[in-house]
Structures are given as C-alpha cells and as structure tokens.
Amino acid sequence: MSQIVRAYGLRDEVSLRILEEACASLQRARMARETIDREGMTFPDAKGNPKMHPACVVERDSRAAALAAFRQLNLELPRISTNKRQVW
C-alpha cells in the first residue's frame, strides 16, 4: 500500500481510507479465491444438487468493491502474480 501512496502521491485522509478499503477488498477476494480453489465452485445441497459456493459471491463482490475504489482514486488495479496465473 505504501508503494501506491508514494507512486500516486496520495496524501489526504479520504484517499488513504479509500485505498485502505480497496486493499482490504482485494485481500478478501484473494482469500475467497483460495477457498474456491481448495473446495471447488460448487457444493451439494441437502438433496445432492450442486449449489454455487458462497465464496464465489464474496470474491465477485470484493473485486467489484476494489475496482470501484481504484476508479474513485483514478488508479489502475495492480496485477498480482501467483505461481498459477495472474490474479486481479
């Protein structure tokens, strides 16, 4: 986060709070993705029918929140590489 603050010259309290929330949202999305990777995108309900894993919604909403915050700050979303693939 400090690299972004320095690179874009963010100084005011509001911008710093927005950036903090964006970073928290990205972390939440990353954690949800790890859960999905581990447990799968679906799970069987009580009748054995496949249901979407709740972490899919968390990942989607967290990414959308991060994107909205970055747009508010006129920043591009950073690419974070993992050993598997590029992750937004």
Side-chain angles (χ1 to χ4, degrees), residues 28-29 32-33 36 54-64 85:
R28 197 175 303 96
R33 170 50 44 197
I36 294 164
C56 293
V57 175
V58 173
E59 182 186 27
R60 180 197 65 208
D61 292 351
S62 296
R63 288 192 192 289
R85 63 186 188 285

Side-chain angles (χ1 to χ4, degrees), residues 4-16:
I4 296 171
V5 169
R6 282 192 304 274
Y8 290 95
L10 302 176
R11 300 277 182 252
D12 62 286
E13 189 67 25
V14 173
S15 294
L16 295 174

Side-chain angles (χ1 to χ4, degrees), residues 33-34 36-37 59 63 79-88:
R33 170 50 44 197
E34 289 170 2
I36 294 164
D37 288 345
E59 182 186 27
R63 288 192 192 289
R79 282 185 165 260
I80 301 158
S81 39
T82 66
N83 57 0
K84 294 181 183 178
R85 63 186 188 285
Q86 291 289 69
V87 178
W88 288 98

Side-chain angles (χ1 to χ4, degrees), residues 36-57:
I36 294 164
D37 288 345
R38 192 174 51 254
E39 299 177 9
M41 291 181 64
T42 62
F43 68 96
D45 65 7
K47 295 181 181 180
N49 299 318
K51 290 276 200 177
M52 182 172 61
H53 196 294
C56 293
V57 175

